Amino acid sequence: MVSSAKAHRGAAAEAPRPQVHNIGEVLSELSDDFPQITASKIRFLEEKGLITPQRTAAGYRKYTAGDIDRLRFILALQRDQYLPLKVIKDYLDAVDRGERPEQLPGGLQLAPRSVTEQLAQEIAGHTRALTRAELIGATGADEGLIDELLQYGLIGEEDGRFDEHGLRVVKAAAKLAGHGIEPRHLRAFRTAADREISLVEGAIAPVSSRRSASSRAHAQETAREISDACLSLHSALVQGAISQLDH
């Protein structure tokens, strides 16, 4: 009987437990893909309600594998889609409630699954830097259009490749070209964007001048929020003016 009890206790002791990690181990897991990640950034995401790590009795944070996957997802969307945290949080909140949003943040057409590394890799794969040939294939644009967009500073090229922002610009420019609107007509957008950037830089200057990692993370998120509000304002003004054309 005693031997049986010992064996039972031994089996119980060998039962697998959910693996948890401290913040240093989390940073080690993420640093290859996100070399700029810091403990302050992770705590900032927690403060904003995007992750909720476990706590020990002493108050130390403990992160599960699911928490690390969730962080990969958030960081991939921030880096590759330049999305505000509010948009990402709204999506994650919907998934946490058991809902199945039709689109991921940024309009990606991927069926929502658990927030895994595979999903983050799929997102990153949609936004990797493209060669000129890949850019032409993805947008239907021709060489002349791309050359003009480069000439007017609407897109940039680095080592013969174009980032996700360039991809979006070329897609929009190709669509506009179909309506007779050429890149030379779009220089006003470049000017307006530069003015918006100056506005954002001025607004975040008091925070971005601080050297702490948490202040930099806060400044980046504030910049995204201001930019998102500017885009909403621009869209509302244009759509409001267009609606008057019918009157």
Side-chain angles (χ1 to χ4, degrees):
M1 182 70 67
V2 173
S3 297
S4 176
K6 286 182 178 179
H8 178 74
R9 286 195 297 271
E14 294 173 2
R17 298 178 180 178
Q19 188 174 4
V20 293
H21 306 268
N22 61 37
I23 198 162
E25 292 168 336
V26 173
L27 291 172
S28 178
E29 287 278 339
L30 297 173
S31 60
D32 285 347
D33 293 325
F34 306 97
Q36 303 302 317
I37 188 64
T38 63
S40 296
K41 170 71 172 182
I42 293 175
R43 294 191 184 104
F44 178 73
L45 294 174
E46 179 185 353
E47 178 186 327
K48 292 295 184 179
L50 280 91
I51 57 170
T52 309
Q54 302 173 11
R55 294 275 188 155
T56 66
Y60 294 107
R61 296 171 176 84
K62 290 294 182 181
Y63 300 85
T64 65
D67 291 328
I68 295 174
D69 284 345
R70 191 177 178 103
L71 281 166
R72 286 185 188 278
F73 179 76
I74 295 165
L75 295 170
L77 282 177
Q78 276 200 301
R79 180 193 65 195
D80 300 329
Q81 297 292 333
Y82 200 70
L83 292 176
L85 287 181
K86 183 181 185 305
V87 174
I88 302 173
K89 184 177 185 302
D90 287 346
Y91 173 82
L92 291 173
D93 287 346
V95 173
D96 291 342
R97 292 192 298 268
E99 299 174 12
R100 295 183 62 82
E102 293 181 1
Q103 292 184 336
L104 289 175
L108 295 179
Q109 296 288 344
L110 295 173
R113 299 185 295 277
S114 58
V115 179
T116 63
E117 181 178 357
Q118 177 188 357
L119 181 53
Q121 289 173 344
E122 289 178 3
I123 292 168
H126 279 259
T127 56
R128 65 180 178 79
L130 302 177
T131 65
R132 178 176 286 234
E134 289 172 330
L135 184 65
I136 290 172
T139 62
D142 58 31
E143 293 272 2
L145 179 62
I146 292 173
D147 287 339
E148 286 189 74
L149 292 171
L150 285 166
Q151 176 186 344
Y152 293 118
L154 292 161
I155 58 174
E157 185 178 13
E158 184 174 352
D159 297 328
R161 292 183 176 271
F162 301 84
D163 62 17
E164 69 274 12
H165 306 297
L167 172 63
R168 290 164 61 188
V169 170
V170 175
K171 281 184 176 179
K175 187 175 292 186
L176 291 170
H179 297 282
I181 302 174
E182 301 174 7
R184 61 190 176 87
H185 301 134
L186 305 178
R187 286 178 292 181
F189 288 90
R190 176 73 271 169
T191 301
D194 290 340
R195 288 174 179 168
E196 181 184 324
I197 292 167
S198 296
L199 186 68
V200 172
E201 287 176 341
I204 67 172
V207 179
S208 59
S209 61
R210 300 170 191 167
R211 295 185 177 182
S212 70
S214 60
S215 294
R216 290 196 299 271
H218 179 63
Q220 290 173 353
E221 180 53 27
T222 300
R224 289 189 178 96
E225 290 177 356
I226 295 172
S227 176
D228 190 47
C230 289
L231 290 172
S232 296
L233 175 60
H234 173 81
S235 178
L237 291 171
V238 172
Q239 289 175 9
I242 290 173
S243 69
Q244 299 300 316
L245 297 178
D246 296 330
H247 299 288

